[in-house]
């Protein structure tokens, strides 16, 4: 039989142990943040119990008087933080304070390795805030009782690899964290110091934080205050608390809406990208409250996935408190709130795009690729989203909006040209752009995965069609040029060129769909394009990358009739000895291979490529 009252000893899971070594040994100067983390946990615990009590009246005994109490004992040199929240069971303690790998720990350790020790302030962002207590404590006791359970437990550790759990004594549910302060951390026994820390970091906590009979914080939910009464510092602290973030919010969207579905939203757009932005689950991180009762951390159906960078809270008294989280998610009122929030967010972005274009570029670099998902996800707001999209282009190094692109269109240009690929810095040097550059026609350079997908759904903007420069005919002839273009071009349909084309087609056979004279090349001899109606080149690349496509699509090989090599080859192909001309045969393959190489691909057959290249070089020697 296991003795239920015995003291059990456990080892911290390896990553936690490593983290503790860093925390305990750090000379981090903002050590006071440990108190922010403890108060934040205490407040979360009260939120959780208040929610549980909604559906389990047995838990509701004291659910009106939640509070966090601090106690200083100068003699014992302890500081304790108590709450009357949800508390922890034996298993909760094991899972949350010690053994199981928490997803945040690894990421946090990585960030510490990269950066200064100053990054320790980020500890709360990675879901390991509790461990910050070891910056100031020799040892820590956690006395806790879970709501609805009989037994209390005491967790203790000196943060050096092990912790113990044993039965404890506690009258009410909740948790008390007792810090046995380090010698050099006695400052946290001073009331004025503690008072100041709470005011600085925890004023926004909606439960009273007490020191004796004194309430140290404002203790009213920050979003219920009039927007003008909330200071920038208060926003920043609340944002840190509610989003586990540590940057400053770039934008604050605080709206109190009265109407069919009244709701208050206090949303933040971060100034830097959170590390889980592309997590497969793509959860929202906006907390839902109903009439100031915390309901859920990430409610499906509250925030569209393309706005998942938003942080903050939404509170509505028009939603029902007495239904489960799952039922709430399918409440049509929630969908109304979602639409209203989406419009507000897009509206605010639009305003800031014109008011603070430089800051908007920073926003775009962080979240543009996410926002563009909205072009597919939310057809009803598609046009509004397109308006606030920004793109790299051949115009200059800066990002452009679509309307600015259209403002620069040439006479006769009824098309928005784009080239999509893996990397904007590489695409910009692609041969496909030569003719466009020569004519001064701007091309958008798209390098986010999502680009290829929204372009399947959206064919035009303000009456101009989107068209890939790697696909079909160019229509460049129709566009007036303001730059001097060399008009003394050779006839594209010269008999010599036709003979060359015939010879190449014969030699390359099935590996190309067609061979044609090009209008898009000025410097390079060849390029490969997708035929009208065929899958675009970049899409093919993406599908292959994801294993959804095996075979190569045969492409059209375009020849630059004005390139000196092509001209010479054409002369050589004149007449009909081509079929037996070994050099022409090699040249046909080498032309195809160099087109592949400039697209970032390997030659079709590397061994043959090397042989052919050498035999051609030999001829020239
Ligand atoms: P986070 O708060 O981001 O989850 P922490 O390291 O601060 O990370 O806390 C870890 C976990 O420990 C919490 O998620 C919670 O489950 C538990 N916990 C910590 N403090 C308390 C408390 N006062 N009451 C109940 N549970 C707590
Ligand atoms: Mg915490």
């Amino acid at each position: 039989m296991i003795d239920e009252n015995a003291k059990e000893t456990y080892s911290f899971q390896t990553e936690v142990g490593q983290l503790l070594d860093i925390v305990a040994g750090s000379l981090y100067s903002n050590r006071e943040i440990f108190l922010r983390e403890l108060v934040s946990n205490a407040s979360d615990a009260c939120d959780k119990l208040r929610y549980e009590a909604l559906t389990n009246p047995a838990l509701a005994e004291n659910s009106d008087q939640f509070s966090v109490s601090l106690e200083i004992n100068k003699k014992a040199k302890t500081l304790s933080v108590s709450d009357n929240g949800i508390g922890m069971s034996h298993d909760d303690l094991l899972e949350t304070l010690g053994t199981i790998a928490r997803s945040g720990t690894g990421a946090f350790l990585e960030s510490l390795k990269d950066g200064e020790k100053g990054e320790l302030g980020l500890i709360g962002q990675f879901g390991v805030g509790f461990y910050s207590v070891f910056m100031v404590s020799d040892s820590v006791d956690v006395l806790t009782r879970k709501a609805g359970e009989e037994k209390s437990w005491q967790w203790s550790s000196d943060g050096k690899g092990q912790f113990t759990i044993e039965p404890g004594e506690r009258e009410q549910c909740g948790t008390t964290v007792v810090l046995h302060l380090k010698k050099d951390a006695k400052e946290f026994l001073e009331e004025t110091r503690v008072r100041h820390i709470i005011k600085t970091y925890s004023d926004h906590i909606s439960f009273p934080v007490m020191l004796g009979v004194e309430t140290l914080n404002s203790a009213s939910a920050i979003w219920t205050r009039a927007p003008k009464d909330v200071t920038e510092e208060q926003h920043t602290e609340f944002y840190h608390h509610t989003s586990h973030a540590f940057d400053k919010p770039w934008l604050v969207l605080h709206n109190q809406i009265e109407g069919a579905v009244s709701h208050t939203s206090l949303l933040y757009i971060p100034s830097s990208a959170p590390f889980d932005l592309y997590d497969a689950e793509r959860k929202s991180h906006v907390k839902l409250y109903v009439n100031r009762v915390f309901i859920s951390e990430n409610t499906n159906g509250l925030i569209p996935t393309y706005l998942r960078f938003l942080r903050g809270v939404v509170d509505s008294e028009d939603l029902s408190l007495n239904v489960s989280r799952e039922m709430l998610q399918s409440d049509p009122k929630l969908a109304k709130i979602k639409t209203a929030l989406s419009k507000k967010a897009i509206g605010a972005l639009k305003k800031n795009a014109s008011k603070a274009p430089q800051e908007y570029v920073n926003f775009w670099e962080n979240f543009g690729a996410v926002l563009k998902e909205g072009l597919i996800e939310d057809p009803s707001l598609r046009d509004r989203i397109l308006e606030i999209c920004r793109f790299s282009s051949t115009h200059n190094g800066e990002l452009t909006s679509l309307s600015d692109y259209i403002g620069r269109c040439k006479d006769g240009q009824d098309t928005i040209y784009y080239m999509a690929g893996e990397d904007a810095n590489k695409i910009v040097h692609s041969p496909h752009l030569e003719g466009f550059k020569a004519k001064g026609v701007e091309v958008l350079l798209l390098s986010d995965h999502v680009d290829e997908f929204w372009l399947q759904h959206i064919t035009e903007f303000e009456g101009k069609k989107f068209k890939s420069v790697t696909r079909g005919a160019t229509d460049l002839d129709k566009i007036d040029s303001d730059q001097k273009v060399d008009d003394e071009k050779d006839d594209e349909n010269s008999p010599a060129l036709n003979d060359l084309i015939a010879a190449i087609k014969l030699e390359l056979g099935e590996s190309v769909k067609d061979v044609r004279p090009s209008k898009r090349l000025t410097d390079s001899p060849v390029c490969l394009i997708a035929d009208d109606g065929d899958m675009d080149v970049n899409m093919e690349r993406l599908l292959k990358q994801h294993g959804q496509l095996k075979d190569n699509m045969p492409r059209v090989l375009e020849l630059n009739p004005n390139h000196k090599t092509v001209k010479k080859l054409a002369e050589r192909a004149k007449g009909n000895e081509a079929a037996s001309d070994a050099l022409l045969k090699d040249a046909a393959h080498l032309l195809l291979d160099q087109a592949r190489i400039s697209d970032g691909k390997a030659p079709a057959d590397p061994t043959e490529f090397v042989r052919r290249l050498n035999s051609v070089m030999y001829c020239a020697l």
Side-chain angles (χ1 to χ4, degrees):
M1 265 276 326
I2 303 164
D3 179 359
E4 284 211 348
N5 294 316
K7 186 168 182 170
E8 307 156 318
T9 303
Y10 298 91
S11 294
F12 285 113
Q13 180 246 344
T14 323
E15 280 183 332
V16 175
Q18 290 170 353
L19 174 64
L20 284 172
D21 287 345
I22 298 176
V23 168
S26 90
L27 299 171
Y28 183 54
S29 54
N30 284 340
R31 293 191 301 176
E32 75 261 20
I33 58 131
F34 79 88
L35 197 50
R36 170 189 76 193
E37 297 303 326
L38 290 182
V39 171
S40 152
N41 286 348
S43 157
D44 288 348
C46 295
D47 267 339
K48 282 182 199 157
L49 179 54
R50 189 156 65 174
Y51 177 76
E52 288 298 323
L54 289 176
T55 46
N56 186 352
L59 300 181
E61 331 160 36
N62 60 355
S63 58
D64 285 342
Q65 308 138 23
F66 287 113
S67 67
V68 182
S69 313
L70 310 182
E71 200 184 304
I72 293 171
N73 185 334
K74 288 202 173 178
K75 233 171 146 192
K77 300 185 179 60
T78 57
L79 170 65
S80 32
V81 179
S82 306
D83 63 70
N84 50 357
I86 188 90
M88 285 175 274
S89 66
H90 180 276
D91 290 352
D92 291 341
L93 278 173
L94 257 183
E95 276 185 32
T96 53
L97 301 184
T99 48
I100 307 273
R102 310 268 314 272
S103 62
T105 324
F108 184 54
L109 280 172
E110 281 307 306
S111 87
L112 285 179
K113 274 183 213 147
D114 298 345
E116 302 280 296
K117 287 284 157 59
E119 305 280 324
L120 265 175
L122 294 172
I123 195 160
Q125 179 183 350
F126 293 93
V128 288
F130 173 78
Y131 299 112
S132 64
V133 292
F134 289 104
M135 290 195 290
V136 296
S137 315
D138 285 326
S139 68
V140 176
D141 301 320
V142 178
L143 182 62
T144 184
R145 185 168 136 199
K146 182 135 184 180
E149 290 190 9
E150 293 290 307
K151 281 197 118 157
S152 306
W153 297 99
Q154 173 159 328
W155 178 102
S156 302
S157 178
D158 59 3
K160 297 205 174 79
Q162 293 190 323
F163 61 91
T164 58
I165 299 181
E166 63 196 300
E169 284 297 327
R170 201 189 150 86
E171 281 193 4
Q172 274 197 329
C173 69
T175 302
T176 301
V177 181
V178 183
L179 310 183
H180 301 270
L181 293 169
K182 285 187 185 177
K183 263 215 184 79
D184 66 0
K186 298 287 153 55
E187 56 186 287
F188 303 110
L189 296 172
E190 301 302 329
E191 287 194 4
T192 44
R193 179 85 168 104
V194 168
R195 199 176 281 124
H196 182 71
I197 298 171
I198 296 297
K199 211 54 199 163
T200 311
Y201 294 105
S202 308
D203 190 59
H204 58 81
I205 295 289
S206 55
F207 305 103
V209 180
M210 317 286 296
L211 183 63
V213 292
E214 182 191 359
T215 305
L216 303 181
N217 63 333
S218 303
S220 69
I222 183 170
W223 60 91
T224 60
R225 305 181 203 165
K228 64 170 174 40
D229 292 343
V230 187
T231 65
E232 201 183 318
E233 288 74 31
Q234 286 170 336
H235 274 307
T236 304
E237 271 312 317
F238 179 65
Y239 164 71
H240 289 170
H241 162 77
T242 194
S243 347
H244 299 293
F246 209 72
D247 55 340
K248 270 197 146 196
W250 172 52
L251 279 189
V252 178
L253 318 177
H254 191 177
N255 291 293
Q256 292 160 336
I257 311 276
E258 302 287 329
V261 187
S262 300
H263 63 277
T264 296
S265 55
L266 176 51
L267 300 177
Y268 299 96
I269 299 181
S271 54
S272 58
F275 66 96
D276 64 349
L277 194 58
Y278 292 99
D279 258 11
E281 291 183 38
R282 289 176 159 63
K283 276 190 192 154
S284 107
H285 290 285
V286 173
K287 291 182 174 165
L288 179 65
Y289 284 72
V290 175
N291 212 1
R292 283 187 284 298
V293 177
F294 172 71
I295 301 296
S296 142
E297 191 93 28
N298 15 51
T299 306
N300 279 335
L302 177 62
I303 298 288
T305 39
Y306 68 92
L307 295 176
R308 63 181 175 275
F309 49 82
L310 289 173
R311 298 291 187 266
V313 304
V314 175
D315 190 349
S316 170
E317 46 194 61
D318 288 342
L319 294 170
S320 171
L321 258 180
N322 297 313
V323 298
S324 69
R325 291 185 174 116
E326 289 67 33
M327 279 177 70
L328 201 58
Q329 287 173 0
S330 47
D331 188 331
K333 288 186 195 139
L334 198 71
K336 289 219 168 86
I337 296 180
K338 175 177 168 181
T339 310
L341 296 174
S342 309
K343 286 182 181 161
K344 279 277 178 214
I346 293 171
L349 286 171
K350 184 176 172 182
K351 205 166 113 200
N352 280 275
S354 61
K355 208 177 76 186
Q358 274 316 312
E359 292 176 17
Y360 192 75
V361 166
N362 184 51
F363 159 80
W364 187 259
E365 279 162 1
N366 285 330
F367 303 119
V370 173
L371 190 71
K372 279 188 281 187
E373 291 172 17
L375 296 170
I376 306 162
E377 195 181 320
D378 196 343
S380 69
L381 296 177
R382 187 169 278 171
D383 291 339
R384 295 196 208 187
I385 299 173
L386 265 184
E387 270 180 355
I388 56 171
C389 283
R390 295 292 180 270
F391 304 94
S392 301
S393 91
T394 53
H395 173 60
N396 57 21
E398 283 161 28
L399 295 176
T400 178
S401 66
L402 287 177
S403 9
D404 287 347
Y405 176 98
I406 288 179
R408 290 186 295 266
C409 276
K410 299 277 174 266
D411 287 344
Q413 180 185 349
D414 52 10
T415 307
I416 299 172
Y417 291 105
Y418 69 87
M419 175 152 183
E422 208 164 5
D423 177 349
N425 296 323
K426 281 191 192 146
I427 334 175
V428 73
H429 302 298
S430 164
H432 297 90
L433 298 175
E434 290 170 359
F436 294 86
K437 286 182 186 161
K439 274 209 145 180
V441 174
E442 183 174 349
V443 178
L444 301 179
L445 307 171
L446 310 182
S447 55
D448 289 319
H449 269 187
V450 63
D451 289 322
E452 204 58 72
F453 296 97
W454 66 261
L455 283 159
Q456 309 280 315
H457 296 263
I458 301 179
T459 50
E460 58 174 63
F461 179 75
E462 292 180 1
K464 297 210 189 283
K465 287 211 167 4
F466 288 100
K467 184 168 176 11
S468 167
V469 300
T470 58
R471 181 172 177 167
T474 62
D475 323 323
L476 273 174
D477 289 348
K478 291 194 297 190
I479 301 173
D480 291 341
S481 165
D482 53 10
Q483 263 150 297
K484 269 190 94 70
V485 182
D486 190 2
D487 275 338
E488 290 167 43
K489 282 190 175 173
D490 282 9
D491 185 1
E492 285 152 15
N493 298 316
S494 76
L497 187 68
N498 287 338
D499 286 350
L500 176 63
I501 287 177
I504 295 177
K505 269 192 205 169
L506 188 67
E507 180 58 28
L508 295 182
E510 300 270 284
S511 43
V512 289
K513 186 167 179 185
D514 198 4
V515 181
R516 293 174 197 158
S518 182
K519 292 202 169 109
R520 72 192 90 212
L521 296 173
T522 60
D523 300 338
S524 304
V526 279
C527 68
L528 281 168
I529 60 146
D531 209 0
D532 271 323
D534 280 358
M535 183 187 292
D536 196 22
V537 181
N538 186 49
M539 186 62 151
E540 180 185 9
R541 181 184 65 82
L542 283 176
L543 291 182
K544 277 193 168 162
Q545 219 171 50
H546 293 278
Q548 289 172 16
L549 192 73
K550 274 218 200 86
D551 300 325
N552 284 322
M553 299 249 145
R555 296 300 185 194
V556 176
L557 182 68
E558 286 197 351
L559 299 186
N560 177 357
N562 301 300
H563 192 278
K564 57 186 183 192
T565 313
V566 176
K567 281 184 183 168
K568 274 223 146 168
L569 285 169
E571 272 169 35
R572 186 161 174 135
K574 218 178 333 183
N576 49 12
E577 299 116 274
S580 55
D581 184 334
L583 180 93
L584 264 187
K585 285 180 161 190
D586 282 345
H589 290 282
L590 285 173
L591 287 172
L592 176 59
D593 281 339
Q594 48 180 300
R596 289 178 56 88
I597 291 170
S598 54
D599 280 346
K601 294 188 186 131
D605 179 342
T607 321
E608 277 296 289
F609 170 76
V610 170
R611 187 196 59 72
R612 287 182 185 120
L613 185 63
N614 281 297
S615 96
V616 170
M617 272 163 64
Y618 187 78
C619 290
L621 295 171

